[in-house]
Each structure stands twice: as structure tokens, then as C-alpha cells.
Amino acid sequence: MMTNMKNYTQNTFQNKEQNIHRLSTPLTEEKIKNLKAGDTVYLSGTIISARDAAHKRIVESIISGKKLPVNLKNSTIFYAGPSPTPPGKKSGSIGPTTASRMDSLTEPLLKEGLKAMIGKGRRSKEVVDLLKKYKAVYLVAVGGISAYLSTKVKSIKTIAYDDLGPEAIYEIEIENFPLFVAYDIYGGDIFESALLVE
Amino acid sequence: MKSIKITTITEEVRKLLIKANFNLPEDVTEAIRNAAREEKSCRAREILELILENAEIASKQKLPLCQDCGLVYIDLDIGRDICIEESGNLSDLLNQTVAETYNNNYLRKSVVSDPLYERKNTSGNIPAIIHTGFTQDSYLHLKVCLKGGGSENCSFLYMLEPSASEDDIIALILDEVKKNVTKSCPPVIIGVGIGGSSSEVTRLARIASFRNLEVRNSDNRYKRLEEKILNEVNKTGIGPQGLGGRTTALACNIEHAPCHIASLPLAVFFGCHSTRRADSKISPP
């Protein structure tokens, strides 16, 4: 009983400490410097999607000096491959894919000015360090609640790499899209701090 | 011989694919509801409630539960004396049904043709993985399971030595959970295969991860092991989505089988919380 009480108090306290930020894109260093791992973010504005195959092409273009199909300066990338939009709806189901698969392809995009990534799950130690170095954040969306998240999308369209189907680059207009700060620009890590609570 | 028309089977597959994509199974919904009641962490409770809200939106608005509409598994357990009429190209017809259903219902197509070189999307979420088996039942049991890529990537296989103990297995699973579970959309369903062979044990783990959560292993020793693993996993504090809490897993299901004297195969399949499965029993007319 005592243990339960203790956990409950700690949890309530921890959740009170959590800050809520309402932010609009483009996310700049000024806007993300107040974000701490564990905070909640409701994000609005334009973001782009890019996952495995799109990342491979973007990185190949950066290496060979080709023009990129999207401007990455102060951009927010959603690691996502949406389901097709049914007629009469603003978006099909949409949600985060596992971010760690993009770990080895992240630095070239950060060099181009990428400021925020949205995905799910832990990433490598290298990414935590890269985010400190380039002053960028990793946000997590809840995975597997994609019908719910689609209600936070105002519009969605492909803007590059159409031939990749669900892996194309989409431009997505979001409104109050619910996110948690997973890694901040100071090395904070939600997955580590979450474990300390219980 | 009693016959079932192939068109009866393909029509049923179409219905099951739709049901599985848009509706969270009742036993999973109940498990999440119970977990939400018992969670002490506000964030974990909030996430579990979002999962329930998502399920309501998905079924009402005919939107897939998850944007990853999965790789399709179709299992046909064919009962005694049952024959499938016009079954010459059973797998072609089943794949055609999958492609039509995915295209007509705005479901995501997530299959590439060649794994290593072209990786070109096949545009129909095909081929499905089709297994046939035989039973002593009087009907054909048709089962459809959808497996997302995120949790699929966290599956693992160990060929243990026969001297390995229950504690060794618990330790291995805990280690993998700590390393990888945040990538497989927790709360997860831990499907464990023990025994068989390297190929058979992964099939057992897949079947275990899609087993109804209310069914426990019928052997008391394995049932107790299921409880032990679940308990240990939920003590890690990893929680829903890895963001802290008690509900890292909803269940641990074990399927076991005899194996070679030199082996003790162990396979684990992490099933995400968006467990999508549907089944139906077709009796010959």
C-alpha cells in the first residue's frame, strides 16, 4: 500500500511538471529551445513526410549535389506513410513509423537545416548527440492511433517521389497535432526519464 | 466429400480483411480498457484512452485503425472431408481478393516486389502469406491476420541449447523488450514459440501473438510461464509507447511443440496494440 501511494504521488508530481506548448511551423531554434523532453506539444502548420525510401533518395541527392525537391531549412519531417485519402475525407489514417530506421540517414538532413522529426520509439545515442549539435528535436506521436490523428490533418498531398506510393514525400497541413518531446536540444531523453517514475 | 465454393471463401476473405482493418477485436479492447483503469501514470492512461478513442473513430468512419494496414496472413484450416471447388489457383484468387479489397477500401499497400534490389511497391499489398492445414473439424476455419512492419522488425529467433532453463528464456525476452519494445507500439502482445524447428517456431510465435487474449496455454507450466513473463515485462516501467507506465504488454501467449534432441528453438513475435485479426468458420452447404 505504501509503495502504491509513493508511486502515485511521484506520478502526479511528474505530470504536473510537464509543460504544454502550442507551436506553429516553421520550427526555428528560437521556438524549440524551450522544449524539454517529456513536454507536450500541439503542433499546427505545414510539415512534410519522408520515410525509408524517400530518405535514401534525399541523402543520395545531397551527396551528389543535386537540387532537393523540398527545402529542409527549419523543416519538420514526419516519418510516416499515410493510408490513401478516402473520398470526402481530408486525410486517410496517418501515424508515425519507427524512427530508428532513419538514424543512419539523419545527419545529412540536419546539415540542410532540418529542425524537428516526428516518429515513434527510441533512437540511437548518436542521434541524441546530433540533436544537441545541430539544435533540433525529436518528437513522438502515439503510434497505432492513426484514424484519430487523421482528424488533426487539414490537408495532405504528394509533392515529390510520387512513384514511391505511401513512401512519397507528402505535404501535410496539421492543426493541434498532439506530440511529446522525446529528445530535446540539451540531450534530454523521455524514454530514460519515463523509466525513473515507476 | 463436402464442397465449399472458392467464391464463398474469397468473399469471406474480403469481409474479414475489412473487419480486421477497421475494428479492434473485442478481447483487445477489453484488455486496454482494464489496463487504463489500473494505470497510475497520467500519460500512460491518456495514451490507452486515445487507443480506445481511435478504435471508435476507425469503425465509425471506416478509416483503418493504423496507417500501416500490414502484411496479410491468410490461414485456411481445412476440416475433414472438405473439398474446395475450383481450387486450381487458390493462392492467385486469394491474392486477387486482397489486392481488390485494399484498393477499393483505401487501405495502404505496403509490399515491395523484390526485397533487396528494386523494392518496387506491388500496388495491391500482395502477395499475402498463405498457409493451409488440415483439421478433424466439420468446417473450414478461415483466419486473417494483419502484421505491421514496426513490430514485425522486433521479432527474434534463438536456437537455445537443450539445457536452457525457464529463467534463461525470461531473461532473453526481457533483454529484447528493453532493447526494442518502444519500436513495436507498446502495449504489445508477446507471442512466444518454444520448440519445433527454426522455421516452425517462428510460425508458432506468430500464431501465439494473434491468439485470443482470453485463451491461456492449456499446459499449466506454460500458463504459469506466460504469467511470469507478462509480470516481469510490466515491471520494467517502459509503458505505453515507451513513455512510462505499467502497461508495456497486454499479454504473453506461448505456443509450444516437440523438438529435436539437440535443440530448443525460441521465437518471439511482438504484436502491436493495434492487433488486427478476424476469423470465420465456413461449413459446407
Side-chain angles (χ1 to χ4, degrees):
Chain A
M1 191 61 207
M2 278 306 285
T3 330
N4 280 343
M5 281 297 285
K6 188 170 153 241
N7 284 338
Y8 188 72
T9 321
Q10 275 180 352
N11 273 295
T12 315
F13 180 68
Q14 198 244 352
N15 282 302
K16 265 188 193 161
E17 287 288 289
Q18 219 181 85
N19 290 314
I20 296 176
H21 309 262
R22 292 183 189 275
L23 293 176
S24 294
T25 61
L27 292 179
T28 55
E29 195 182 321
E30 187 58 29
K31 286 185 194 170
I32 62 173
K33 71 176 188 197
N34 294 325
L35 302 182
K36 299 276 169 58
D39 289 355
T40 299
V41 174
Y42 291 98
L43 187 63
S44 300
T46 307
I47 61 173
I48 55 171
S49 76
R51 49 174 291 159
D52 310 68
H55 266 74
K56 207 172 159 204
R57 283 196 194 173
I58 290 171
V59 171
E60 278 165 8
S61 293
I62 292 173
I63 290 168
S64 60
K66 283 196 202 124
K67 190 178 180 311
L68 294 179
V70 285
N71 181 6
L72 293 177
K73 177 88 183 147
N74 291 334
S75 64
T76 299
I77 286 185
F78 191 5
Y79 299 140
S83 70
T85 306
K89 291 212 161 64
K90 288 177 180 165
S91 170
S93 289
I94 186 163
T97 195
T98 308
S100 64
R101 293 199 309 275
M102 268 52 79
D103 285 359
S104 62
L105 301 169
T106 297
E107 189 168 17
L109 281 73
L110 288 168
K111 275 187 187 159
E112 295 290 317
L114 173 66
K115 274 288 155 221
M117 287 139 276
I118 302 170
K120 69 172 186 197
R122 271 178 185 269
R123 309 189 63 173
S124 65
K125 175 76 177 66
E126 288 70 33
V127 168
V128 178
D129 294 339
L130 286 172
L131 296 186
K132 275 165 76 176
K133 181 176 169 190
Y134 291 96
K135 306 254 185 300
V137 289
Y138 168 48
L139 310 169
V140 288
V142 175
I145 59 159
S146 326
Y148 171 83
L149 290 178
S150 79
T151 65
K152 308 292 174 192
V153 174
K154 289 165 74 184
S155 72
I156 180 163
K157 62 177 187 210
T158 52
I159 53 166
Y161 307 155
D162 283 29
D163 60 300
L164 295 178
E167 294 202 80
I169 297 182
Y170 290 79
E171 186 180 84
I172 311 161
E173 276 294 312
I174 53 174
E175 193 167 56
N176 294 321
F177 203 87
L179 301 162
F180 297 106
V181 181
Y183 303 156
D184 56 35
I185 62 170
Y186 310 101
D189 177 347
I190 198 173
F191 300 105
E192 287 298 325
S193 56
L195 285 181
L196 304 177
V197 176
E198 185 88 3
Chain B
M1 272 298 194
K2 292 161 274 185
S3 324
I4 296 173
K5 282 203 173 108
I6 182 73
T7 48
T8 308
I9 297 172
T10 52
E11 178 53 21
E12 202 56 36
V13 165
R14 190 186 66 81
K15 285 185 194 158
L16 295 178
L17 287 171
I18 291 174
K19 186 179 174 190
N21 266 297
F22 300 141
N23 302 282
L24 199 61
E26 193 47 50
D27 58 307
V28 179
T29 309
E30 192 54 32
I32 292 168
R33 231 181 256 140
N34 290 339
R37 266 197 294 273
E38 281 164 31
E39 265 296 348
K40 295 278 187 280
S41 145
C42 293
R43 188 157 60 204
R45 211 163 43 235
E46 189 189 335
I47 292 169
L48 294 169
E49 280 160 7
L50 278 173
I51 294 172
L52 295 171
E53 192 178 344
N54 181 65
E56 274 183 38
I57 295 172
S59 71
K60 273 191 201 141
Q61 299 198 24
K62 295 272 170 284
L63 279 166
L65 286 159
C66 181
Q67 82 287 342
D68 182 349
C69 303
L71 184 63
V72 176
Y73 284 92
I74 303 173
D75 292 297
L76 299 111
D77 291 341
I78 303 164
R80 195 177 188 159
D81 290 339
I82 288 178
C83 121
I84 301 172
E85 257 179 59
E86 303 159 58
S87 65
N89 48 6
L90 179 67
S91 65
D92 284 356
L93 287 167
L94 290 174
N95 279 319
Q96 198 184 315
T97 304
V98 172
E100 279 170 14
T101 310
Y102 270 66
N103 278 305
N104 293 343
N105 294 280
Y106 304 92
L107 301 171
R108 199 182 83 181
K109 277 70 75 180
S110 315
V111 178
V112 290
S113 55
D114 181 276
L116 182 59
Y117 301 108
E118 298 88 8
R119 290 191 69 86
K120 190 173 160 40
N121 199 298
T122 61
S123 302
N125 214 43
I126 52 172
I129 296 176
I130 301 166
H131 284 281
T132 48
F134 297 95
T135 69
Q136 289 300 307
D137 300 320
S138 59
Y139 49 81
L140 185 152
H141 198 173
L142 188 58
K143 297 172 194 165
V144 161
C145 306
L146 313 176
K147 187 77 166 83
S151 57
E152 177 72 8
N153 285 349
C154 302
S155 312
F156 65 90
L157 165 73
Y158 278 100
M159 297 306 283
L160 302 174
E161 285 173 6
S163 60
S165 67
E166 188 187 280
D167 286 343
D168 293 335
I169 289 179
I170 296 173
L172 273 174
I173 294 176
L174 265 182
D175 192 42
E176 292 287 339
V177 162
K178 286 177 187 164
K179 267 196 295 197
N180 284 325
V181 83
T182 67
K183 301 169 191 171
S184 28
C185 267
V188 292
I189 293 159
I190 305 169
V192 182
I194 304 176
S197 61
S198 57
S199 68
E200 179 61 6
V201 77
T202 53
R203 193 185 69 86
L204 290 175
R206 195 257 302 176
I207 287 173
S209 78
F210 283 104
R211 197 175 78 197
N212 188 298
L213 304 190
E214 283 152 15
V215 178
R216 305 271 36 103
N217 192 298
S218 57
D219 182 321
N220 269 327
R221 295 164 304 173
Y222 288 95
K223 183 181 159 194
R224 274 198 300 277
L225 182 55
E226 289 177 340
E227 285 159 7
K228 266 190 201 171
I229 294 170
L230 178 64
N231 196 26
E232 289 300 318
V233 166
N234 283 340
K235 269 200 249 166
T236 59
I238 295 169
Q241 299 294 306
L243 306 183
R246 298 178 170 203
T247 323
T248 307
L250 295 171
C252 172
N253 294 345
I254 300 176
E255 291 289 328
H256 63 283
C259 65
H260 192 279
I261 49 170
S263 312
L264 203 179
L266 168 75
V268 174
F269 253 48
F270 289 110
C272 57
H273 65 75
S274 195
T275 293
R276 286 151 297 161
R277 53 169 141 80
D279 70 307
S280 111
K281 290 167 184 169
I282 308 175
S283 296

